[in-house]
Structures are given as structure tokens and as C-alpha cells.
Amino acid sequence: MTESQTESSQLADCDHIPIIDLSALDSRNFDERRKLAQSIYDACTQAGFFYIKNHGISEDKINGIHSSAKRFFDLPEAQKMKFYIGNSSKFRGYSPLGSEKSTGTEDDPIAEEDAVGALSEAFDIGYETAMDPQKSKDDPLPRDPYGLYGDNQWPGPAVLPSFTETYIEYCAMMLGLCRKLMRIFALALDLPEEHFDLMTQNPGVTSRMMHYPPQPVKEEVREGLGAHTDFECFTILSQGSVPGLQVLSHSGEWILAPPLPGTLVVNIADCLSIWTNKKFKSTIHRVTNLTGQERYSVPFFFGVDYDTTVSVLPNHISNDRPACKEPFKAGEWVREKLSKAYVGYEG
Ligand SMILES: O=C(O)CCC(=O)C(=O)O
Ligand SMILES: [Fe+2]
């Protein structure tokens, strides 16, 4: 993939991924929050990716979600297929090994007949009020013309005791962290910190557990996940201890983003990039597991309420830089992207 084919807002403008200390995220001192926002602004406009440390999620909880992922993928295939994603009209559930095919990126699409099944299996869930610290679990979900909220296919306690509780608890912690990050992004964009608060009441959140087995044939490398950008506002990724994630740079090099102890990885996704008229990069990335070990990861994708209109911020529009896109509904965008991501299955 070369730069001439690919928009520069999808390519990292650096040769490494910065590490950002989030200690000031809860600071009462505005200047400290402002300073943090500035370093986040730099990372979002250069790499579109950054590691976070001192993020407040304990090592214990992170290890817990990774062992839950391993327990799920260790189930017999027939058992996992009871939660098959094809049973869901909302892209929730289990995708077996090789069933997800890369469609490439907008600027560099891969034809359906050329797409190769990825060397990974996944279990996907979406937002429900039980995972939202601001809601009680019986609160109703909002009106949803996009058909995306709810209907997770949880394996019950007879199949995997405590799995659902562990994943819901993990999502609750992530949701809290994401709402705080959204405030820092607002500050980074010279907006009031609470700018996005009313747009994240029932946020368009999805998460997935991923399993990337080792390469079955040494000489023949298969991608675990093809080159793509994420669709929502941003992603927080817990990638365990086995490397595999790569980020595409301007020079056409794939920058490695290996796991660093005590950190999570954040990357900007399409909606926030569009909001900023592509000033924030929604950077292309992929996964290839060359380690000979089993790799597990748990991305958490954070978006605004599906009914939110995403519209380029006026202070990012100028004569030289007209709006990159007409306003659109977040749910419409996410549904369209998801239905392309799962070739042969449109939800
Ligand atoms: O597994 C990883 O490291 C990244 C996964 C990812 O990019 C995705 O699921 O969108
Ligand atoms: Fe991704």
C-alpha cells in the first residue's frame, strides 16, 4: 500500500508510538489536564495511536479478562457455534477461525473474491445498560433505528461460570475510562470538556475477544486481521503479552506496536477523525502473529450514541480545508461499516 493510494489521515506520521501518562486525567488542576490534552492532541495528529499508562485499570482485571478470553476460545467448536454471529442481526457473537475476511480500506479495497479468511476467531458484544456505571441494568435501551443496541449472545453460567460478569465488569471500567478520555479529547480540540457528555448517554460501544493462533504453515504467513481503520470514535486495546499489532506509516512501513507492561493501546477511529476534519488520524493497522504462541486481545471500541449526528467541527473547516464529509448519524456509519466487515453476512 503506498501513500498515493491512501489518505494521509490514515497513515502515521512518525516512526514510533508515544506513551502517555494518564495520571492527570482526574486532576482538579485545569493546567495539568490541559497539558495532558496537549500531549494527546500531538499523538492524535501524528500517530493516531498511543499507549496509556497509569490508566487506573488494575493488572488483576486485565489478567482476568484475558483468562476469560482463553476459556471461551478453549471451548469445543460446536459449543462456540451456539453463539454464532450469524444468529444475530446486530453483529454480536462468535466468528469462527477464517470467517472474517479483510475488505481492505476505503482507498485500497480488496475485491470480495480475492479476500482471504483471517487467521483469527472472535467473540463480539455490544453496549447494554448492565455495563454502564451511569445506568441501572433494568434501564431501557433507547429507540434504535439502526438495530445495533443489545441482544448479546452470552454463554450462560453452565457453559462458562462467571464469564458474563467478568466481561460486563471489564466493560464498565472501560466505559468509565472512555468517558474521561472523551473529555480530554474535547479539551484537546478547544471545546468545553463536557462537549460530548450528552452524546455519550448510551454510547455505541462494542468489544470483542480475539484469538490469533500461531501460523499453521511456517513459510506461508497469514494475517490475523487485515489492514483496516476502526469505525467508532476511538479504541482501547488490551493486547496481553504476545506481539502482533502493526500500524501503517507514511513511508509505507509497518510500525510494530508490541505489548508494553502496564499499558493499554488507544487508537483514534473514523468518527472522531471525521469530526476533526481528519486532523486526528484514524490510522490503518493490522495484526500478524509470527510468534509461534497463541495471542489473545480484547479491543473496546467507544463511539457516541448511535442517534448522534457526526458533523465536522466548524473550527476545523476553512477555505483551504472544506468539510471532508456531510453530517451523518453515528449508527448509520457503524452499521454500514460492520456489514462490509463481515463478508457474506450483513447483519
Ligand atoms: O488484536 C489487536 O491487536 C487489534 C485488533 C483490532 O485492530 C480490531 O479488532 O479492530
Ligand atoms: Fe482495529
Side-chain angles (χ1 to χ4, degrees):
M1 207 175 304
T2 59
E3 190 177 345
S4 58
Q5 289 168 288
T6 304
E7 250 195 68
S8 77
S9 66
Q10 297 184 318
L11 299 168
D13 214 353
C14 56
D15 54 12
H16 74 289
I17 315 276
I19 302 172
I20 295 184
D21 186 336
L22 288 189
S23 305
L25 195 61
D26 290 320
S27 170
R28 297 231 209 114
N29 180 325
F30 180 76
D31 288 339
E32 285 179 11
R33 297 201 302 281
R34 177 84 242 157
K35 206 166 143 216
L36 171 61
Q38 183 59 51
S39 56
I40 287 188
Y41 179 88
D42 294 342
C44 295
T45 52
Q46 290 162 20
F49 264 80
F50 52 97
Y51 291 94
I52 48 174
K53 63 177 186 183
N54 296 320
H55 43 62
I57 313 289
S58 76
E59 221 40 47
D60 245 26
K61 299 292 178 196
I62 293 174
N63 292 339
I65 198 69
H66 279 267
S67 46
S68 291
K70 180 171 178 349
R71 279 168 70 215
F72 179 86
F73 292 115
D74 281 349
L75 290 172
E77 198 59 23
Q79 179 66 264
K80 289 185 276 194
M81 282 305 283
K82 297 210 168 114
F83 316 111
Y84 179 49
I85 195 163
N87 301 336
S88 157
S89 62
K90 301 183 173 185
F91 310 95
R92 314 282 182 237
Y94 173 64
S95 311
L97 200 64
S99 65
E100 199 165 322
K101 297 193 175 132
S102 176
T103 50
T105 62
E106 228 148 312
D107 302 307
D108 196 11
I110 297 171
E112 194 169 332
E113 59 278 14
D114 297 334
V116 183
L119 190 59
S120 57
E121 53 180 341
F123 175 71
D124 292 46
I125 58 160
Y127 177 82
E128 51 182 79
T129 50
M131 65 177 67
D132 192 337
Q134 291 186 9
K135 299 267 160 36
S136 94
K137 79 175 176 25
D138 301 318
D139 279 346
L141 286 163
R143 193 186 71 85
D144 176 20
Y146 313 104
L148 289 169
Y149 284 118
D151 297 351
N152 289 322
Q153 299 195 66
W154 292 115
V159 181
L160 282 179
S162 75
F163 176 89
T164 311
E165 291 78 358
T166 304
Y167 206 173
I168 293 258
E169 191 193 2
Y170 183 77
C171 288
M173 289 182 296
M174 282 289 145
L175 205 46
L177 177 57
C178 285
R179 283 194 173 111
K180 287 183 197 173
L181 277 174
M182 206 60 187
R183 287 181 151 226
I184 287 285
F185 286 131
L187 198 53
L189 293 167
D190 286 331
L191 298 166
E193 284 169 277
E194 55 285 354
H195 179 82
F196 295 108
D197 285 6
L198 288 177
M199 305 176 205
T200 51
Q201 295 301 302
N202 292 97
V205 157
T206 54
S207 179
R208 61 194 327 212
M209 291 173 164
M210 306 277 307
H211 171 218
Y212 304 89
Q215 299 293 328
V217 183
K218 260 223 168 96
E219 304 70 42
E220 216 181 277
V221 173
R222 272 176 66 191
E223 279 180 341
L225 198 61
H228 68 282
T229 60
D230 295 346
F231 324 135
E232 293 86 353
C233 284
F234 62 93
T235 305
I236 302 185
L237 171 73
S238 169
Q239 54 169 339
S241 57
V242 179
L245 177 63
Q246 305 173 351
V247 177
L248 190 59
S249 79
H250 267 288
S251 53
E253 308 273 313
W254 288 97
I255 307 170
L256 302 182
L260 300 180
T263 70
L264 297 164
V265 174
V266 175
N267 64 283
I268 300 302
D270 297 343
C271 284
L272 199 51
S273 175
I274 292 167
W275 237 312
T276 64
N277 213 6
K278 309 267 179 105
K279 186 81 186 156
F280 279 14
K281 289 175 186 261
S282 178
T283 311
I284 293 171
H285 53 286
R286 69 175 187 188
V287 177
T288 311
N289 179 9
L290 299 172
T291 62
Q293 298 170 59
E294 310 290 334
R295 179 175 192 269
Y296 299 91
S297 75
V298 187
F300 186 86
F301 307 100
F302 184 76
V304 285
D305 301 5
Y306 290 127
D307 203 28
T308 303
T309 302
V310 179
S311 174
V312 178
L313 289 162
N315 61 346
H316 282 77
I317 301 175
S318 65
N319 285 344
D320 298 346
R321 256 179 105 86
C324 62
K325 193 169 164 53
E326 290 296 309
F328 60 93
K329 291 283 186 184
E332 210 172 275
W333 177 265
V334 170
R335 171 157 278 284
E336 188 198 317
K337 291 285 171 180
L338 283 172
S339 46
K340 284 194 189 138
Y342 298 90
V343 173
Y345 162 68
E346 293 183 1

